[in-house]
Structure formats: structure tokens, C-alpha cells
Amino acid sequence: FFNMKKYLALKEEFKDHLQNENFNYKDQINRHVTDYLRTSKDTSTTQTSRKGPRLIINLNHLRSMDSSLVSGMMRNPMSYIRALRDAANEIANEENSKFAQEDKTMEVGFDGSFGELHVSPRGLLSNCLRSLVCVEGIVTKCSVVRPKVVKSVHYCEATGEISDKVYRDATSIDIGLPRIDRDGTEMEDVILSVTNSVYPTKDKENNPLTTEYGMCEYQDFQTITIQEMPERAPMGQLPRSVDVVVDNDLVDTVKPGDRIQTMGVFRALGNQNSAETSGIFRTVVLANNLKVLGHDTTSLTLEASDIKHIKNVSKRDDIVDVLGRSAAPSIYGHEYIKKALTLQLMGGMEKNLENGTHLRGDINVLMVGDPSTAKSQMLRTALQIAPLAISTTGRGSSGVGLTAAVTTDPETKDRRLEAGAMVLADRGMVCIDEFDKMSEADRVAIHEVMEQQTVTIAKAGIHASLNARCSVLAAANPVYGQYDKSRRPQDNIGLPDSLLSRFDLLFIVLDQLDPANDRRISAHVLGGHRYRRPGTDMAPEPLQSVAADSDDDDDEDKRTVVWQRTHHSRSTETKGAEGKEGGGKDHENDVLSQDFLRKYIYYAKRKIKPELTEEAREFIANAYAEMRSKQDDRTLPVTARSLETIIRLSSAHAKCRLSQNVEIKDCQEAMDILAFALYHEDDKKKRKRDEMEEMEGEDGEGMMVDDNNKDASSSKSKMRLDDGTNDGENDALKANAGVTQQDPPMSQFDSFVKSLNGILDREKGEVDISVVIDELGVDSDKATEFVQKLHEQDRIFFDGDTIFPL
């Protein structure tokens, strides 16, 4: 299966390829050799930087010269790798004679396209054995770096002879290949195999041997475990992992939490000491190249049309409201929490100052409230939208499980560092449900992560600091099950102030006993179950998608889905609406599609880096001073961290607008959300109400009228209703009409019903109540009273501000 002619032919072919001027490998070999010789002679260089040279070969370059060469290497890599390594060492010795005297071997690694052998740990099946693979994953465990003896040298004092012994274990790349003697000639009858681990102490004549440690050869050896990336693991299945063996210059290049690509040979390690076997062997990847991936490991790809749609949507005045209601369209209400969730996904601006100070940009949010208020559903929404999110629960996780732990390797008995959930979620989000169920000792472990965003380990002789730059979204129940309004928030929450201050936003979610609100919630929930897909019994009808159109006829442009119509949306499919979105009137109640929402957050978070303007700085300073003056025993404490919270929220709001500057309106929106979280005050609605009152006061007339004006207005509305009705219109809404003493005047009510019938027939579907008010000139309170009456009589369906015919 392997002869000298093939080996020599492979080596010559690889040598010609390395000397090809188009690929510049010869210069790379010369540079690696020069760097190695310089560092090996430099006494000021640390030992960790004196690693042997390694040449990285791009498979695409080899494929351009001879595709069959790459195909053979992918399925039978051991013989090809040895021929390529020998060719690289010959060129290195020819280029620099000093390297030949070093008795050092240049290693080779691979990069480029691996095709079907580019897999995750879940894809490493039996058909990948003895193949060259590329595996992507996240590092969860790293063993201690140990020296492994490769060749031992022994001196016999009785005979004066020097002998040596070469050691090969199952991880050696040369196992199963013919041996090569000192002259470079293959010995076909001698196949390299795993050597015994007996260390020689006597020669053949039983003379004692002395080990010459200075002449022995060693190589660094480390085992790392990579796991399937959490965001790519199938839902409901345990993530798979695989052990990776690294040696020489590749050791100590990655740490737990890093996302890497490892290229190497997938091999099964047999048990040489056992006479019987079950046929199941341990499998490892013998790495020849490691590549640390960036923080962007998502599979999102942005086309030119996507960026155009993102910029068009960002021109809306209510872009943050649109993003908020698009985050969780199935959940009714909680507008401020939805907007806060959107800002958390965007994140603020992380800063690393010159003096070493780290200011986090991630936003932490805690929701505390009564049961059945959609807290857990908010967490599930964040898991679906965030590019990287890890979910856990209070009882299902421990302190070391969230941060990091020092464990003992069951095979080597060495200490190894194992990353926790927050380290694995670096540059992502951690969702913790039932946060109040965690024990106090476990909660203390996350204090450092939530502010310094690092995990420091000093256990069992291991001192390490791991990055855990993640935002925390937590949900908890009050101490007494239901929130007690007579007690302070701190007493209801039951968490220490040191932990509460690390949360930027703390929302108290209450289950209000309000019949009108309960009816709106039930209408919203029932509206989602109202329709079913044709041909099925229970499957609901999917949301209607509205494709964003443009002036050109690009096919990719037409496939981009931006908007989705919910069951309570009044808007219809509008072509070419993207160019009109600056006014904020188009798609008023529609939501963004989930795919487009992910792309929008992805683009804004990575491309927009806003900076504070001078006006924004002044506004934030004044707002913080006002917050400090308003705090009392009934509110949560306002600390210096609250000042950084305003900055983070303002920066995130600017990212939503795709603005490079944080302006006053960003700070005002941030203060509205923070005021709602601290004091349960809706400053935005209060501000709008004050502005309307000022406008009405300037005009001298408006909504604040006396009883006489109100009666005159009602009479005027009645006249317009009577004039605008058509006796021939459909009067289906009058069926089963029951009139009581509390009913409004019959003539005005009947006129409203007739006019509403005409509008519903003309629109052929649902209509917004504002359209009815504007068209008929009815007072808004009176129109709402009429519509609510029809809804109670089951003659129409009224949800939010939308009227549906029955």
C-alpha cells in the first residue's frame, strides 16, 4: 500500500509546489527558520516563545495544481503529511544551513476549504476516521501542558557505549508507515508501531545505564476539549464534544471559552494493554493547526439589499418602538420591557482605558414580578433573537457551573480548567430563569462577572483569569410569591443591594386586576389562536409576510422579507413602502420579521460605534443629579452605576437609529425607560400629555371643554353621522341588538352602526378605530364606548385599536 516510489514522487511533487513562486511558500519557510534561529539564540526571549517553526499550507493552492493530490490527502493524510513535512525540511536546510545543525523539524499544518469534512463535533462520525478534518467548536477544557519524552539517551559506564530509545504512542502521526533510516531510505519491511513504555535501566548484558537528560528530546503535549457551539446545537439535545491533542508550538494557544477551528487527523486510539476489546475506542483529533475565530461566529450573511432595507427602516421616528414590539409580538403589553430587551441586545459601548480600566458595555436586566406575567417568555424570546445566548435556571446551575471550575482529568489525574456558562457565552447573553431560587453562595460567584466581566480562578495551584463579557437577563419571583405593594422593593425582591446595583434595569412586573386590561389580553391571546392553516386541525395560520420592494427588479431584493402582519394589524401589503418610512406612518402596527430583526441587530451592534455629544453629556449629568434627589426608602437605590446605566442605554438607543452620535433624544428615551423601572412612571406619555395641553392652551380651544361644548360637539357628531349613512348599506350588526337603560341614545348609536357597516364593507376586513373617528367626526371617547358595546354584544371583535367584523 505504500512504496518508496510513491513516497519519493509525493515528496518531489510537494517540493515543486512549495518552490512555486506564485504561492510564496519558499519565503515563508525562510522567514520561519530565521525567526526560530533568532529566538533560540536570544537569551532575553522567554522559553514559551521559543517554539519550533510551523508552515501552514493552503489546500486551495494545492487543489489548483492537482485536485487528486488533495483528495488523496483528505482520505489518507498520514503518508502525505510525512512527505510534505520532509519536503519542507529539505527546502529549509537548503535555504539555511544553520537550521540543519539545530536538529529541529519544521512541522506543517493546513488551512483552506475542507468541503464535506468541515464539521462540528456532532459531525465526526465513523466515515471521518483516518481523514483530514476541520472541526469548529468552543473550548471547554484545557489540560496542563506536560513534556513528553520522544527520545531518551543512555550511557553505560561498563562498556562506554551510548544508546538511545525512540518512543511513539498512539498519537504519533507516523504510526503504520514504513520506517525511514538516517539516509532517507524507506525500510518497507519495518512498519512503525506503538513502542512499549518500559524505560531502559540495563543493557543486554545487565549493565546499569545512566540517563543523559541533557541529550534527551522532549515535546510539549496538551489535551483540549472542544464542544459544539451552543447556538448551533439542536434544540433539546446535549452538545457533543471531542478531545483534541496538540503538541509543540500549538500548546497553550487557546483557553476555555475561545471559539476555534482545529485542523487535524481524526483517529481512533486503541488500547494496547488489553487482550480483549469491546470494539469501542476513544477518538481524538491530532491537530496540526489551530485558528481562533473572532467574536462573530453567527451564520448571518448580509446582502447589499439587506443593508439598504436596514438603513431605510432606521429612518423611522418610532424605530425603537418597532424593534420592541417585533421582539415579542405574541406577548401583549410590556412595551418598556420589550424596548429594554431590544437595547440589551444592541448593547452599549465597551471602553478599555489607557490606565487599564475596563468599562462594560453590556446591559444587565432583572425582571421581578407575579407569576404568569410572561417573564419566562421574554427570556425565550431573547434566546431566539440573540446570536449567542445560553439559558440556565437557578436550581439547575451552581456557582462554578456559571463561572469556571478546576477539575481532575480521570485519565491523567491532572488538574484542568473547565469553563462555565458565562465564559462560554463570552460576547453573548446569559438568560437565568428562577433567579431567586439560587443559593446565596452560588449568587456571589457571579458578582465579579456582572461588573468586571472576568472570572478569576485561584484554586488547586491554578491561577487564571477568563473573559466573560456577557449580558445577563434574569427573571425572579418575589419573596412572598405575590408582590406585596405595602413593602419596599428590596423586601419583595430578597436580593442584596450589592447584586441589585449590578443590574442596569430592574422591572417589577405586576398582575393588575383590571377588567379592561384582562379583556385586551384575552383578545390578543385568542387572536393568535383564531385562524388555522388550511388542511390542518390545529396548526395556526402563519403570519403574513410583506416583502420589502424597491425600484430595481433584483431577485434577491424581492426575497428579502422585512415586515410581518400580525392578527391585529390594520396595514395591508404595500409595495414600494420602504422609501416612505421616514414619516413613521407606514406599517404602523406591523412587526419586523424575525430574520430581518436578527440582521438589523447584528448590523447595528457591530457597525455602529456612537459617541456622546456635549449636549448629551450635560443632559445626563443633570438627569443623574435629579435622580439622586428623588430617591427615597420606597425606591431602589440610585448609585454611580446608575450614571453608567444612562450612558449605556443612550448608546444602545443611538445604535437603534444607526447614529454615530448620542443625542439628547437618545438620553431622553433612556431616562424614560429608567424612570419606568425605578418609579413606575410613564414619563413619555406624561410629556406628550403636557405638550398637548400647551398646544390646546395656545389655540384657546381643544379637548378641555365644558359640558355645553361637549353637548354641542355630540350634536354635531350626530348630524354628521345621520348625513353620512346610506339606508341601502348592510345592517348585519343590528342583529340581536339588546338595548338597556345604560345604552347610548338610539338614534346616534344606530347611525354609528350603519356608518361602521359601510366602512367595514368598503375595507373588506379589519379597520382601525382612528380611521372611523376621522371619517365620521365622532368624539374618540364616544366612538370607543360604541365599539366596546358592540364587542360585548359579540357583533364585532375589538382588539387594541382594531375592529374586526364577525
Side-chain angles (χ1 to χ4, degrees), residues 140-181:
T140 57
K141 301 177 184 177
C142 285
S143 68
V144 180
V145 178
R146 298 282 189 184
K148 182 172 67 174
V149 62
V150 177
K151 184 176 72 172
S152 61
V153 180
H154 310 275
Y155 173 70
C156 180
E157 297 180 356
T159 61
E161 295 180 354
I162 295 179
S163 60
D164 59 16
K165 180 180 180 179
V166 178
Y167 300 88
R168 288 183 299 273
D169 58 7
T171 62
S172 176
I173 201 67
D174 296 332
I175 295 297
L177 300 180
R179 182 178 178 180
I180 299 178
D181 60 12

mmCIF file of all heavy atoms in Angstrom, residues 140-181:
data_model
loop_
_atom_site.group_PDB
_atom_site.id
_atom_site.type_symbol
_atom_site.label_atom_id
_atom_site.label_comp_id
_atom_site.label_asym_id
_atom_site.label_seq_id
_atom_site.Cartn_x
_atom_site.Cartn_y
_atom_site.Cartn_z
ATOM 1 N N THR A 140 -13.872 24.032 26.016
ATOM 2 C CA THR A 140 -14.463 23.914 27.350
ATOM 3 C C THR A 140 -13.463 23.450 28.401
ATOM 4 O O THR A 140 -13.611 23.780 29.573
ATOM 5 C CB THR A 140 -15.648 22.937 27.329
ATOM 6 O OG1 THR A 140 -15.204 21.667 26.843
ATOM 7 C CG2 THR A 140 -16.757 23.456 26.430
ATOM 8 N N LYS A 141 -12.452 22.690 28.009
ATOM 9 C CA LYS A 141 -11.474 22.181 28.970
ATOM 10 C C LYS A 141 -10.082 22.293 28.365
ATOM 11 O O LYS A 141 -9.894 22.089 27.167
ATOM 12 C CB LYS A 141 -11.758 20.713 29.327
ATOM 13 C CG LYS A 141 -13.120 20.446 29.933
ATOM 14 C CD LYS A 141 -13.327 18.962 30.173
ATOM 15 C CE LYS A 141 -14.728 18.667 30.685
ATOM 16 N NZ LYS A 141 -14.968 17.223 30.864
ATOM 17 N N CYS A 142 -9.130 22.583 29.202
ATOM 18 C CA CYS A 142 -7.718 22.620 28.807
ATOM 19 C C CYS A 142 -6.906 21.923 29.892
ATOM 20 O O CYS A 142 -6.995 22.282 31.074
ATOM 21 C CB CYS A 142 -7.213 24.059 28.631
ATOM 22 S SG CYS A 142 -7.782 24.866 27.143
ATOM 23 N N SER A 143 -6.118 20.963 29.487
ATOM 24 C CA SER A 143 -5.257 20.281 30.458
ATOM 25 C C SER A 143 -3.971 21.073 30.657
ATOM 26 O O SER A 143 -3.674 22.021 29.923
ATOM 27 C CB SER A 143 -4.935 18.862 29.974
ATOM 28 O OG SER A 143 -4.100 18.911 28.829
ATOM 29 N N VAL A 144 -3.218 20.674 31.639
ATOM 30 C CA VAL A 144 -1.924 21.305 31.898
ATOM 31 C C VAL A 144 -0.928 20.850 30.828
ATOM 32 O O VAL A 144 -0.969 19.703 30.375
ATOM 33 C CB VAL A 144 -1.425 20.928 33.305
ATOM 34 C CG1 VAL A 144 -0.079 21.561 33.590
ATOM 35 C CG2 VAL A 144 -2.445 21.341 34.344
ATOM 36 N N VAL A 145 -0.064 21.746 30.393
ATOM 37 C CA VAL A 145 0.956 21.399 29.401
ATOM 38 C C VAL A 145 2.030 20.551 30.071
ATOM 39 O O VAL A 145 2.616 20.950 31.082
ATOM 40 C CB VAL A 145 1.576 22.666 28.790
ATOM 41 C CG1 VAL A 145 2.665 22.291 27.796
ATOM 42 C CG2 VAL A 145 0.505 23.505 28.116
ATOM 43 N N ARG A 146 2.296 19.375 29.498
ATOM 44 C CA ARG A 146 3.281 18.448 30.043
ATOM 45 C C ARG A 146 4.334 18.136 28.997
ATOM 46 O O ARG A 146 4.014 18.045 27.799
ATOM 47 C CB ARG A 146 2.608 17.145 30.470
ATOM 48 C CG ARG A 146 1.588 17.291 31.568
ATOM 49 C CD ARG A 146 2.237 17.430 32.918
ATOM 50 N NE ARG A 146 1.270 17.366 34.001
ATOM 51 C CZ ARG A 146 1.572 17.542 35.262
ATOM 52 N NH1 ARG A 146 2.822 17.780 35.611
ATOM 53 N NH2 ARG A 146 0.640 17.481 36.195
ATOM 54 N N PRO A 147 5.589 17.943 29.398
ATOM 55 C CA PRO A 147 6.596 17.475 28.436
ATOM 56 C C PRO A 147 6.493 15.965 28.242
ATOM 57 O O PRO A 147 6.304 15.205 29.203
ATOM 58 C CB PRO A 147 7.925 17.857 29.089
ATOM 59 C CG PRO A 147 7.629 17.890 30.547
ATOM 60 C CD PRO A 147 6.196 18.304 30.696
ATOM 61 N N LYS A 148 6.593 15.519 27.012
ATOM 62 C CA LYS A 148 6.532 14.096 26.678
ATOM 63 C C LYS A 148 7.865 13.690 26.045
ATOM 64 O O LYS A 148 8.334 14.356 25.112
ATOM 65 C CB LYS A 148 5.368 13.839 25.716
ATOM 66 C CG LYS A 148 5.200 12.367 25.358
ATOM 67 C CD LYS A 148 3.924 12.138 24.573
ATOM 68 C CE LYS A 148 3.975 12.787 23.218
ATOM 69 N NZ LYS A 148 2.790 12.459 22.396
ATOM 70 N N VAL A 149 8.478 12.620 26.562
ATOM 71 C CA VAL A 149 9.777 12.196 26.050
ATOM 72 C C VAL A 149 9.595 11.571 24.670
ATOM 73 O O VAL A 149 8.705 10.749 24.442
ATOM 74 C CB VAL A 149 10.457 11.221 27.034
ATOM 75 C CG1 VAL A 149 9.646 9.951 27.211
ATOM 76 C CG2 VAL A 149 11.867 10.890 26.568
ATOM 77 N N VAL A 150 10.430 11.992 23.733
ATOM 78 C CA VAL A 150 10.416 11.457 22.373
ATOM 79 C C VAL A 150 11.579 10.499 22.162
ATOM 80 O O VAL A 150 11.433 9.447 21.536
ATOM 81 C CB VAL A 150 10.454 12.612 21.343
ATOM 82 C CG1 VAL A 150 10.506 12.062 19.928
ATOM 83 C CG2 VAL A 150 9.257 13.524 21.523
ATOM 84 N N LYS A 151 12.747 10.865 22.711
ATOM 85 C CA LYS A 151 13.938 10.015 22.599
ATOM 86 C C LYS A 151 14.761 10.167 23.867
ATOM 87 O O LYS A 151 15.043 11.291 24.298
ATOM 88 C CB LYS A 151 14.775 10.399 21.382
ATOM 89 C CG LYS A 151 15.967 9.475 21.176
ATOM 90 C CD LYS A 151 16.734 9.827 19.907
ATOM 91 C CE LYS A 151 17.506 11.109 20.069
ATOM 92 N NZ LYS A 151 18.404 11.345 18.907
ATOM 93 N N SER A 152 15.084 9.011 24.458
ATOM 94 C CA SER A 152 15.928 9.025 25.654
ATOM 95 C C SER A 152 17.327 8.506 25.291
ATOM 96 O O SER A 152 17.466 7.578 24.488
ATOM 97 C CB SER A 152 15.306 8.159 26.766
ATOM 98 O OG SER A 152 15.179 6.819 26.337
ATOM 99 N N VAL A 153 18.360 9.124 25.883
ATOM 100 C CA VAL A 153 19.761 8.764 25.621
ATOM 101 C C VAL A 153 20.361 8.207 26.914
ATOM 102 O O VAL A 153 20.183 8.812 27.998
ATOM 103 C CB VAL A 153 20.557 9.981 25.126
ATOM 104 C CG1 VAL A 153 22.009 9.594 24.857
ATOM 105 C CG2 VAL A 153 19.917 10.564 23.866
ATOM 106 N N HIS A 154 21.071 7.071 26.809
ATOM 107 C CA HIS A 154 21.608 6.380 27.989
ATOM 108 C C HIS A 154 23.089 6.080 27.774
ATOM 109 O O HIS A 154 23.523 5.766 26.651
ATOM 110 C CB HIS A 154 20.841 5.068 28.238
ATOM 111 C CG HIS A 154 19.347 5.240 28.247
ATOM 112 N ND1 HIS A 154 18.659 5.629 29.371
ATOM 113 C CD2 HIS A 154 18.436 5.076 27.261
ATOM 114 C CE1 HIS A 154 17.367 5.698 29.078
ATOM 115 N NE2 HIS A 154 17.207 5.366 27.801
ATOM 116 N N TYR A 155 23.834 6.174 28.859
ATOM 117 C CA TYR A 155 25.279 5.907 28.836
ATOM 118 C C TYR A 155 25.574 4.718 29.754
ATOM 119 O O TYR A 155 25.104 4.667 30.900
ATOM 120 C CB TYR A 155 26.047 7.143 29.295
ATOM 121 C CG TYR A 155 27.528 6.905 29.455
ATOM 122 C CD1 TYR A 155 28.348 6.705 28.331
ATOM 123 C CD2 TYR A 155 28.111 6.878 30.727
ATOM 124 C CE1 TYR A 155 29.691 6.489 28.488
ATOM 125 C CE2 TYR A 155 29.454 6.664 30.886
ATOM 126 C CZ TYR A 155 30.249 6.464 29.750
ATOM 127 O OH TYR A 155 31.591 6.244 29.904
ATOM 128 N N CYS A 156 26.374 3.774 29.231
ATOM 129 C CA CYS A 156 26.783 2.598 30.003
ATOM 130 C C CYS A 156 28.225 2.794 30.451
ATOM 131 O O CYS A 156 29.144 2.868 29.622
ATOM 132 C CB CYS A 156 26.644 1.325 29.157
ATOM 133 S SG CYS A 156 27.126 -0.183 30.030
ATOM 134 N N GLU A 157 28.442 2.902 31.744
ATOM 135 C CA GLU A 157 29.792 3.129 32.276
ATOM 136 C C GLU A 157 30.671 1.901 32.104
ATOM 137 O O GLU A 157 31.887 2.017 31.925
ATOM 138 C CB GLU A 157 29.707 3.503 33.756
ATOM 139 C CG GLU A 157 28.956 4.809 34.014
ATOM 140 C CD GLU A 157 28.911 5.132 35.502
ATOM 141 O OE1 GLU A 157 29.400 4.284 36.287
ATOM 142 O OE2 GLU A 157 28.402 6.203 35.870
ATOM 143 N N ALA A 158 30.105 0.719 32.105
ATOM 144 C CA ALA A 158 30.915 -0.510 31.988
ATOM 145 C C ALA A 158 31.510 -0.646 30.598
ATOM 146 O O ALA A 158 32.685 -1.009 30.437
ATOM 147 C CB ALA A 158 30.060 -1.731 32.327
ATOM 148 N N THR A 159 30.735 -0.371 29.557
ATOM 149 C CA THR A 159 31.216 -0.541 28.183
ATOM 150 C C THR A 159 31.577 0.772 27.517
ATOM 151 O O THR A 159 32.234 0.773 26.466
ATOM 152 C CB THR A 159 30.128 -1.239 27.349
ATOM 153 O OG1 THR A 159 28.942 -0.426 27.339
ATOM 154 C CG2 THR A 159 29.786 -2.599 27.944
ATOM 155 N N GLY A 160 31.118 1.893 28.083
ATOM 156 C CA GLY A 160 31.397 3.191 27.485
ATOM 157 C C GLY A 160 30.561 3.489 26.254
ATOM 158 O O GLY A 160 30.873 4.411 25.504
ATOM 159 N N GLU A 161 29.520 2.740 26.043
ATOM 160 C CA GLU A 161 28.672 2.945 24.874
ATOM 161 C C GLU A 161 27.477 3.841 25.234
ATOM 162 O O GLU A 161 27.007 3.851 26.364
ATOM 163 C CB GLU A 161 28.168 1.601 24.347
ATOM 164 C CG GLU A 161 29.267 0.703 23.808
ATOM 165 C CD GLU A 161 28.719 -0.623 23.292
ATOM 166 O OE1 GLU A 161 27.485 -0.854 23.482
ATOM 167 O OE2 GLU A 161 29.496 -1.406 22.735
ATOM 168 N N ILE A 162 27.000 4.520 24.187
ATOM 169 C CA ILE A 162 25.821 5.388 24.315
ATOM 170 C C ILE A 162 24.705 4.792 23.460
ATOM 171 O O ILE A 162 24.909 4.489 22.278
ATOM 172 C CB ILE A 162 26.127 6.831 23.873
ATOM 173 C CG1 ILE A 162 27.166 7.461 24.807
ATOM 174 C CG2 ILE A 162 24.838 7.666 23.867
ATOM 175 C CD1 ILE A 162 27.548 8.874 24.418
ATOM 176 N N SER A 163 23.574 4.598 24.053
ATOM 177 C CA SER A 163 22.413 4.048 23.342
ATOM 178 C C SER A 163 21.225 4.992 23.500
ATOM 179 O O SER A 163 21.197 5.838 24.392
ATOM 180 C CB SER A 163 22.047 2.661 23.871
ATOM 181 O OG SER A 163 21.726 2.732 25.258
ATOM 182 N N ASP A 164 20.281 4.849 22.588
ATOM 183 C CA ASP A 164 19.079 5.680 22.680
ATOM 184 C C ASP A 164 17.852 4.829 22.401
ATOM 185 O O ASP A 164 17.939 3.728 21.855
ATOM 186 C CB ASP A 164 19.143 6.866 21.723
ATOM 187 C CG ASP A 164 19.301 6.432 20.273
ATOM 188 O OD1 ASP A 164 19.072 5.253 19.974
ATOM 189 O OD2 ASP A 164 19.666 7.261 19.416
ATOM 190 N N LYS A 165 16.707 5.366 22.766
ATOM 191 C CA LYS A 165 15.431 4.701 22.514
ATOM 192 C C LYS A 165 14.412 5.749 22.113
ATOM 193 O O LYS A 165 14.263 6.780 22.779
ATOM 194 C CB LYS A 165 14.943 3.945 23.758
ATOM 195 C CG LYS A 165 13.613 3.236 23.533
ATOM 196 C CD LYS A 165 13.131 2.483 24.753
ATOM 197 C CE LYS A 165 11.794 1.800 24.473
ATOM 198 N NZ LYS A 165 11.284 1.030 25.614
ATOM 199 N N VAL A 166 13.694 5.480 21.006
ATOM 200 C CA VAL A 166 12.655 6.376 20.489
ATOM 201 C C VAL A 166 11.297 5.862 20.961
ATOM 202 O O VAL A 166 11.015 4.670 20.914
ATOM 203 C CB VAL A 166 12.707 6.446 18.951
ATOM 204 C CG1 VAL A 166 11.588 7.338 18.424
ATOM 205 C CG2 VAL A 166 14.068 6.962 18.488
ATOM 206 N N TYR A 167 10.464 6.797 21.429
ATOM 207 C CA TYR A 167 9.152 6.452 21.962
ATOM 208 C C TYR A 167 8.063 6.971 21.015
ATOM 209 O O TYR A 167 8.108 8.127 20.557
ATOM 210 C CB TYR A 167 8.949 7.049 23.360
ATOM 211 C CG TYR A 167 9.953 6.571 24.369
ATOM 212 C CD1 TYR A 167 11.173 7.228 24.533
ATOM 213 C CD2 TYR A 167 9.700 5.463 25.165
ATOM 214 C CE1 TYR A 167 12.108 6.789 25.458
ATOM 215 C CE2 TYR A 167 10.624 5.019 26.095
ATOM 216 C CZ TYR A 167 11.820 5.683 26.235
ATOM 217 O OH TYR A 167 12.757 5.243 27.154
ATOM 218 N N ARG A 168 7.125 6.126 20.727
ATOM 219 C CA ARG A 168 5.962 6.505 19.916
ATOM 220 C C ARG A 168 4.701 5.989 20.608
ATOM 221 O O ARG A 168 4.634 4.816 20.977
ATOM 222 C CB ARG A 168 6.049 5.909 18.506
ATOM 223 C CG ARG A 168 7.095 6.531 17.605
ATOM 224 C CD ARG A 168 7.049 5.909 16.213
ATOM 225 N NE ARG A 168 7.317 4.482 16.270
ATOM 226 C CZ ARG A 168 8.545 3.950 16.238
ATOM 227 N NH1 ARG A 168 9.609 4.737 16.146
ATOM 228 N NH2 ARG A 168 8.709 2.646 16.299
ATOM 229 N N ASP A 169 3.735 6.875 20.769
ATOM 230 C CA ASP A 169 2.450 6.448 21.315
ATOM 231 C C ASP A 169 1.392 6.509 20.217
ATOM 232 O O ASP A 169 1.697 6.764 19.049
ATOM 233 C CB ASP A 169 2.047 7.310 22.519
ATOM 234 C CG ASP A 169 1.967 8.791 22.169
ATOM 235 O OD1 ASP A 169 2.088 9.127 20.973
ATOM 236 O OD2 ASP A 169 1.770 9.609 23.086
ATOM 237 N N ALA A 170 0.152 6.277 20.583
ATOM 238 C CA ALA A 170 -0.919 6.199 19.587
ATOM 239 C C ALA A 170 -1.217 7.538 18.936
ATOM 240 O O ALA A 170 -1.886 7.584 17.899
ATOM 241 C CB ALA A 170 -2.189 5.655 20.240
ATOM 242 N N THR A 171 -0.722 8.647 19.488
ATOM 243 C CA THR A 171 -0.972 9.964 18.891
ATOM 244 C C THR A 171 0.099 10.365 17.887
ATOM 245 O O THR A 171 0.011 11.453 17.327
ATOM 246 C CB THR A 171 -1.048 11.031 19.995
ATOM 247 O OG1 THR A 171 0.219 11.105 20.684
ATOM 248 C CG2 THR A 171 -2.139 10.692 20.992
ATOM 249 N N SER A 172 1.076 9.535 17.659
ATOM 250 C CA SER A 172 2.118 9.853 16.685
ATOM 251 C C SER A 172 1.556 9.760 15.262
ATOM 252 O O SER A 172 0.805 8.839 14.930
ATOM 253 C CB SER A 172 3.308 8.910 16.849
ATOM 254 O OG SER A 172 4.270 9.156 15.849
ATOM 255 N N ILE A 173 1.926 10.695 14.424
ATOM 256 C CA ILE A 173 1.405 10.736 13.063
ATOM 257 C C ILE A 173 2.044 9.677 12.176
ATOM 258 O O ILE A 173 1.530 9.344 11.094
ATOM 259 C CB ILE A 173 1.620 12.152 12.460
ATOM 260 C CG1 ILE A 173 0.675 12.408 11.279
ATOM 261 C CG2 ILE A 173 3.063 12.342 12.041
ATOM 262 C CD1 ILE A 173 -0.763 12.485 11.641
ATOM 263 N N ASP A 174 3.182 9.101 12.596
ATOM 264 C CA ASP A 174 3.903 8.139 11.754
ATOM 265 C C ASP A 174 3.485 6.692 11.999
ATOM 266 O O ASP A 174 4.046 5.785 11.386
ATOM 267 C CB ASP A 174 5.420 8.264 12.005
ATOM 268 C CG ASP A 174 5.944 9.627 11.594
ATOM 269 O OD1 ASP A 174 5.349 10.224 10.689
ATOM 270 O OD2 ASP A 174 6.942 10.098 12.187
ATOM 271 N N ILE A 175 2.544 6.449 12.895
ATOM 272 C CA ILE A 175 2.137 5.081 13.197
ATOM 273 C C ILE A 175 1.548 4.431 11.939
ATOM 274 O O ILE A 175 0.697 4.996 11.263
ATOM 275 C CB ILE A 175 1.109 5.067 14.346
ATOM 276 C CG1 ILE A 175 1.758 5.567 15.634
ATOM 277 C CG2 ILE A 175 0.542 3.674 14.547
ATOM 278 C CD1 ILE A 175 2.881 4.698 16.118
ATOM 279 N N GLY A 176 2.022 3.218 11.625
ATOM 280 C CA GLY A 176 1.515 2.483 10.472
ATOM 281 C C GLY A 176 2.255 2.738 9.188
ATOM 282 O O GLY A 176 1.929 2.132 8.153
ATOM 283 N N LEU A 177 3.287 3.601 9.204
ATOM 284 C CA LEU A 177 4.051 3.914 7.999
ATOM 285 C C LEU A 177 5.406 3.204 8.048
ATOM 286 O O LEU A 177 5.923 2.902 9.133
ATOM 287 C CB LEU A 177 4.261 5.422 7.876
ATOM 288 C CG LEU A 177 2.998 6.284 7.783
ATOM 289 C CD1 LEU A 177 3.368 7.748 7.672
ATOM 290 C CD2 LEU A 177 2.138 5.867 6.611
ATOM 291 N N PRO A 178 6.015 2.947 6.881
ATOM 292 C CA PRO A 178 7.361 2.323 6.868
ATOM 293 C C PRO A 178 8.395 3.234 7.509
ATOM 294 O O PRO A 178 8.299 4.458 7.456
ATOM 295 C CB PRO A 178 7.644 2.112 5.383
ATOM 296 C CG PRO A 178 6.309 2.104 4.729
ATOM 297 C CD PRO A 178 5.451 3.049 5.520
ATOM 298 N N ARG A 179 9.370 2.612 8.111
ATOM 299 C CA ARG A 179 10.419 3.378 8.785
ATOM 300 C C ARG A 179 11.397 3.951 7.767
ATOM 301 O O ARG A 179 11.664 3.349 6.723
ATOM 302 C CB ARG A 179 11.155 2.464 9.767
ATOM 303 C CG ARG A 179 12.244 3.153 10.557
ATOM 304 C CD ARG A 179 12.898 2.199 11.534
ATOM 305 N NE ARG A 179 13.966 2.840 12.270
ATOM 306 C CZ ARG A 179 14.708 2.242 13.184
ATOM 307 N NH1 ARG A 179 14.487 0.956 13.463
ATOM 308 N NH2 ARG A 179 15.656 2.888 13.828
ATOM 309 N N ILE A 180 11.958 5.104 8.072
ATOM 310 C CA ILE A 180 12.957 5.763 7.219
ATOM 311 C C ILE A 180 14.257 5.830 7.996
ATOM 312 O O ILE A 180 14.297 6.318 9.135
ATOM 313 C CB ILE A 180 12.487 7.173 6.813
ATOM 314 C CG1 ILE A 180 11.176 7.091 6.018
ATOM 315 C CG2 ILE A 180 13.547 7.883 6.000
ATOM 316 C CD1 ILE A 180 10.617 8.430 5.618
ATOM 317 N N ASP A 181 15.352 5.348 7.375
ATOM 318 C CA ASP A 181 16.637 5.337 8.069
ATOM 319 C C ASP A 181 17.294 6.711 7.970
ATOM 320 O O ASP A 181 16.729 7.672 7.441
ATOM 321 C CB ASP A 181 17.543 4.238 7.503
ATOM 322 C CG ASP A 181 17.818 4.427 6.024
ATOM 323 O OD1 ASP A 181 17.497 5.514 5.499
ATOM 324 O OD2 ASP A 181 18.349 3.494 5.387
#
